[in-house]
Amino acid sequence: MALFSVAILAKVFYIQNVQGSYWRSIADSLHTRYVALDADRGTIYSEEGRMLSSSIPYFDIRIDFAADGLRDKQGKVFKENLDSLALSLSQLFNDRSKEEYKTMLREGYKSKDRYFLLKRDIPFNQYQILRTLPMFRLGKNKGGMIAETKSKRINPFKLLANRTIGLARENSQSVGLERTYDEYLKGVTGKRLMRRIAGGTYVPVQGYDIEPENGRDIVTTIDVNMQDVVETALMNMMVQNECDHGTCILMEVKTGKIKAMANLGRQPDGSYWENMNYALQVGEPGSTFKLATVIAVLEDKYATMNTMVDMEGGKWRVGRRTVFDSEPHPGPQNVTIKHAFELSSNVGMAKLAVQYYSKKPNSFVNNLKRLKLDTITGIDLVGEGRPIIKNTSARTWSNTTLPWMAFGYEVLISPLQTAMLYNAVANNGKMMKPYLVNSIMEFGQVVKQFEPTVVMDSICSQHTLRQVQSMLAGVVTNGTAKKLQNQYYTFAGKTGTALVANGSRGYADKIYQASFAGYFPANDPQYTCVVVIKNKPHALRFYGASVAGPVFREVADKIYALAVEKQAPMQANVKLDTMLAMKTGKAAEWNEILHTLQLPTAITPAANAWVSAKVTNQKVNFQQVTHQRGAVPDVTGMGLKDALYLLENAGLRVVVKGAGKVKTQSLPGGTKIGNEQTIVIELS
């Protein structure tokens, strides 16, 4: 027994002193674990520096009721602060009464809970207040408050470019820029050592945190003002026409920057949301594809834009199928290729393809591939659809494939590819890769800069380019988009209307896809804009010129006013009486307006005079307005600034109603002014 006891004692000594560190580490590993500490995700900014997507902190608040400051013998700190803390919590969160908070805090203190949950997901402003409350203001060791920081991703502009910016989700389900640049945005995850305590709860172990490295910031090419214009214009048409879904892309001509991209889909409740990036989805483009057809024909030198083609009254038989024009074209049917393009004649384009490529259809296909229509654009977004351009080896190739391809059927491309092609025409043949990110920033410094990328130096010869530019301009001045033109600036483009199949129902539901692709101003292109909208079944309005065209026009009007500053001043052919709101005022200010806008005038008024203005024979004419000393000035037709100046200098008290220019005044002009007299002016 003595020998056996000595052996046991020896073994105990060996385990404690020789193997002690090993077994203690094993024990610790069973009761501790590392948890991930997420890094602060980087912010996504617009080009002008506005925040498009960012992470904001939220906090889980817990209490360590075994903290040194709370476990004194009499529980003095806890008892002295309990009443005021409970009242403050009730007032801050407004979810429990003071007594309910007191009961909850007492139970946590009594159980000596070291990880007592007080509140989840409180915002930063409440967290700041919480730190100043009784007991908590003493700090973690004395007051016991534990704050666990989390973050939530928000898009301050909500709908605006929501799908393009994307969402940061777990399990690699992010979309948009959040997914493409996740490697930069997410940063490096840290670690925190947690120890298990009674009840299976884990608490942090002080001094064993590995701090995370915050993510980098992304500066996009998106302009918030332009995005708002694009989103609003698309939304207006979607709601008005009860469309199924649509997209609008705005691209900077010379760089390929995407300045705005809106994608709206109809929800079950009838509202619209950015639920999918329709700009990247492939489909049959319809008549906007005719641009590729005429480029092929002209570049192969089979014809010029003045070569004649017979539109056959909008109906032409090919094998067992018939090509129809979507709209009737009264008048001469034997027209130039240019005019057939302007009228968007399917028959005209199909006849060109058959006449010049029926014996070598792959030559036509090769032209399309040369324009990069068979490859993705490579934009920095995940999920771009892969285009399909058939050749004669395809199983579905038939004797009608070639003519139908000529007017945008039996091919699949995305609206973004259409934008890239039209942008190349606007950019004098140079094709630019579309992109969405300017730079990646860290601590305010650029760590990676993205520059414009040239895909092709020239998509065709300059001779061909000048012809297709003339044809696109002709669509607006003499073709299907004639009603969209305006007197202030020129633009060029192409309408499109395509019948879309509806699953097993085929084409019976008469669902049309309306589109418009173009650029503005036509004489010095700055922006390319593509609009594609899928209408509801049996929509009364479905043509590209009446659905997609107005969206393009609204975008172009507002962007032109916002951003295009290099245009020539208004000329005399502008209808001045419809352009200007004429007001009576100081001649000196009118002279400045005339000089700045270079407006034609019959005579320049003397600078110190007061004048009324009107337009006669497209020229601004002036008539001097006189004011008698001691009499009420006649301020009818003036703006509020000038009216107040004259009336108050004349010694009158002025009461103003409405806004605009003066419509009526309570005291007629020329009336003698009394002492402290009041005059009421109504503006309209």
Side-chain angles (χ1 to χ4, degrees):
M1 291 294 292
L3 289 173
F4 186 66
S5 299
V6 170
I8 291 174
L9 291 173
K11 188 65 174 177
V12 170
F13 179 83
Y14 179 77
I15 291 173
Q16 286 183 332
N17 294 280
V18 179
Q19 294 183 319
S21 59
Y22 169 75
W23 291 113
R24 277 190 290 271
S25 66
I26 294 294
D28 288 343
S29 69
L30 296 175
H31 295 86
T32 60
R33 67 177 182 182
Y34 276 102
V35 297
L37 291 178
D38 292 334
D40 287 343
R41 193 170 179 84
T43 298
I44 299 177
Y45 293 99
S46 68
E47 191 167 48
E48 69 273 28
R50 295 189 186 181
M51 193 181 294
L52 299 177
S53 181
S54 187
S55 298
I56 59 173
Y58 278 76
F59 302 86
D60 286 350
I61 305 300
R62 297 178 181 271
I63 304 174
D64 179 6
F65 282 113
D68 295 341
L70 300 180
R71 301 316 301 181
D72 55 314
K73 292 181 179 179
Q74 293 80 26
K76 183 179 178 182
V77 173
F78 178 74
K79 291 176 182 178
E80 287 180 350
N81 289 280
L82 176 62
D83 194 69
S84 54
L85 177 61
L87 176 62
S88 299
L89 291 173
S90 178
Q91 292 174 343
L92 177 61
F93 299 124
N94 200 29
D95 60 344
R96 299 171 188 257
S97 67
K98 171 186 171 182
E99 292 303 320
E100 286 175 324
Y101 268 111
K102 285 179 70 174
T103 301
M104 183 176 72
L105 293 170
R106 279 199 191 102
E107 290 175 354
Y109 184 78
K110 185 178 179 180
S111 66
K112 299 181 181 180
D113 193 336
R114 303 210 63 178
Y115 207 52
F116 178 81
L117 179 62
L118 178 65
K119 200 74 176 174
R120 288 189 187 275
D121 293 337
I122 71 166
F124 183 69
N125 62 326
Q126 289 187 338
Y127 168 67
Q128 286 182 304
I129 297 172
L130 202 64
R131 294 171 60 189
T132 66
L133 298 187
M135 194 171 84
F136 291 160
R137 67 169 71 106
L138 300 175
K140 181 177 180 181
N141 291 330
K142 291 185 178 181
M145 190 183 89
I146 301 172
E148 295 183 336
T149 307
K150 303 185 295 184
S151 63
K152 289 186 178 180
R153 201 70 171 166
I154 62 164
N155 290 7
F157 290 99
K158 302 295 183 183
L159 178 65
L160 222 60
N162 184 270
R163 192 70 185 185
T164 303
I165 298 163
L167 302 170
R169 298 170 176 161
E170 296 180 358
N171 303 321
S172 301
Q173 295 301 309
S174 301
V175 296
L177 294 174
E178 291 276 12
R179 180 174 178 180
T180 305
Y181 293 93
D182 181 65
E183 180 183 351
Y184 296 99
L185 290 165
K186 69 181 180 181
V188 179
T189 304
K191 289 182 179 181
R192 170 175 289 166
L193 184 64
M194 304 286 285
R195 187 179 77 250
R196 191 174 68 179
I197 60 176
T201 303
Y202 282 83
V203 297
V205 178
Q206 293 298 316
Y208 285 88
D209 287 0
I210 300 174
E211 292 297 326
E213 296 179 23
N214 293 339
R216 296 172 177 178
D217 299 329
I218 302 296
V219 180
T220 70
T221 62
I222 292 173
D223 182 293
V224 170
N225 292 329
M226 293 183 182
Q227 180 69 36
D228 183 48
V229 167
V230 166
E231 201 98 40
T232 301
L234 183 62
M235 179 70 81
N236 290 342
M237 181 55 70
M238 299 290 288
V239 172
Q240 188 182 117
N241 215 40
E242 297 180 349
C243 306
D244 183 76
H245 66 255
T247 184
C248 182
I249 305 163
L250 185 70
M251 186 174 177
E252 194 172 73
V253 169
K254 293 177 174 56
T255 63
K257 291 181 180 181
I258 301 297
K259 306 301 294 180
M261 184 186 289
N263 296 279
L264 296 176
R266 188 176 175 89
Q267 306 303 297
D269 63 355
S271 64
Y272 289 92
W273 188 252
E274 287 229 350
N275 60 336
M276 191 172 292
N277 201 329
Y278 299 104
L280 305 184
Q281 292 189 348
V282 298
E284 291 180 320
S287 293
T288 55
F289 194 79
K290 291 172 183 173
L291 174 63
T293 300
V294 295
I295 289 176
V297 171
L298 298 178
E299 189 67 4
D300 285 341
K301 295 183 170 49
Y302 290 129
T304 70
M305 66 178 184
N306 295 316
T307 301
M308 306 301 288
V309 61
D310 193 344
M311 297 188 296
E312 305 282 354
K315 184 177 180 181
W316 186 51
R317 187 88 173 167
V318 181
R320 296 183 179 181
R321 298 179 66 185
T322 303
V323 178
F324 293 97
D325 284 351
S326 59
E327 298 180 73
H329 307 300
Q333 296 300 299
N334 195 34
V335 297
T336 63
I337 292 176
K338 179 178 185 292
H339 196 49
F341 182 84
E342 292 168 348
L343 297 176
S344 198
S345 172
N346 294 339
V347 171
M349 297 301 109
K351 292 184 77 171
L352 292 178
V354 171
Q355 180 178 352
Y356 300 122
Y357 296 104
S358 59
K359 294 182 179 179
K360 45 181 179 180
N362 281 336
S363 178
F364 178 73
V365 173
N366 289 336
N367 273 287
L368 303 182
K369 291 182 176 180
R370 183 174 51 80
L371 296 173
K372 304 297 182 183
L373 294 173
D374 64 327
T375 58
I376 61 174
T377 65
I379 191 172
D380 38 355
L381 287 175
V382 176
E384 185 176 3
R386 206 156 270 287
I388 296 177
I389 302 293
K390 295 180 186 178
N391 58 31
T392 53
S393 63
R395 288 185 300 172
T396 55
W397 186 277
S398 69
N399 65 338
T400 60
T401 298
L402 179 63
W404 259 256
M405 287 175 72
F407 54 91
Y409 287 84
E410 297 210 31
V411 295
L412 298 176
I413 65 171
S414 69
L416 188 60
Q417 283 180 290
T418 301
M420 192 165 77
L421 175 61
Y422 277 76
N423 194 76
V425 173
N427 198 27
N428 286 322
K430 184 182 290 187
M431 181 175 282
M432 306 301 296
K433 177 184 175 182
Y435 68 106
L436 277 159
V437 171
N438 279 320
S439 60
I440 297 171
M441 310 277 288
E442 186 174 32
F443 303 118
Q445 301 297 316
V446 175
V447 295
K448 188 171 184 178
Q449 185 76 42
F450 297 91
E451 301 293 342
T453 302
V454 178
V455 178
M456 295 175 63
D457 285 323
S458 183
I459 60 170
C460 60
S461 67
Q462 287 298 301
H463 181 64
T464 298
L465 187 67
R466 297 290 170 257
Q467 292 183 83
V468 295
Q469 287 174 338
S470 174
M471 294 163 76
L472 289 170
V475 171
V476 180
T477 58
N478 196 37
T480 54
K482 188 175 181 179
K483 292 182 179 179
L484 296 174
Q485 64 180 318
N486 66 81
Q487 56 188 337
Y488 306 122
Y489 66 94
T490 58
F491 60 91
K494 181 72 186 72
T495 59
T497 308
L499 188 60
V500 180
N502 188 18
S504 60
R505 292 183 57 80
Y507 298 97
D509 290 335
K510 299 296 180 183
I511 300 175
Y512 287 91
Q513 177 177 282
S515 56
F516 190 97
Y519 50 84
F520 62 94
N523 58 332
D524 181 21
Q526 300 296 314
Y527 297 98
T528 297
C529 182
V530 171
V531 183
V532 179
I533 296 175
K534 182 181 176 183
N535 293 291
K536 68 177 182 179
H538 305 288
L540 294 178
R541 202 166 34 145
F542 58 85
Y543 286 119
S546 57
V547 177
V551 177
F552 176 95
R553 170 66 191 277
E554 183 177 343
V555 170
D557 283 353
K558 292 179 179 178
I559 298 300
Y560 181 84
L562 280 172
V564 181
E565 301 174 350
K566 296 180 180 179
Q567 305 308 305
M570 300 295 182
Q571 300 299 320
N573 60 347
V574 175
K575 294 182 179 179
L576 297 179
D577 54 342
T578 62
M579 184 188 75
L580 298 175
M582 307 299 246
K583 292 183 181 180
T584 302
K586 286 184 178 180
E589 293 180 352
W590 261 113
N591 288 337
E592 185 177 349
I593 293 171
L594 295 172
H595 175 73
T596 302
L597 298 181
Q598 295 187 14
L599 298 174
T601 179
I603 186 172
T604 302
N608 60 350
W610 289 82
V611 295
S612 62
K614 65 178 181 178
V615 173
T616 306
N617 298 325
Q618 287 296 298
K619 290 184 178 180
V620 183
N621 288 280
F622 298 98
Q623 184 175 353
Q624 187 166 341
V625 177
T626 58
H627 304 296
Q628 297 178 0
R629 187 179 295 274
V632 175
D634 185 358
V635 296
T636 306
M638 290 187 181
L640 180 59
K641 182 192 72 165
D642 291 331
L644 286 175
Y645 175 82
L646 289 173
L647 294 173
E648 290 181 347
N649 279 344
L652 293 165
R653 287 181 173 178
V654 184
V655 176
V656 180
K657 295 182 179 180
K661 61 181 179 179
V662 179
K663 182 180 179 182
T664 61
Q665 56 186 83
S666 61
L667 299 176
T671 305
K672 187 176 180 181
I673 299 174
N675 292 330
E676 297 184 357
Q677 200 163 3
T678 299
I679 184 172
V680 179
I681 57 174
E682 292 189 14
L683 281 63
S684 175

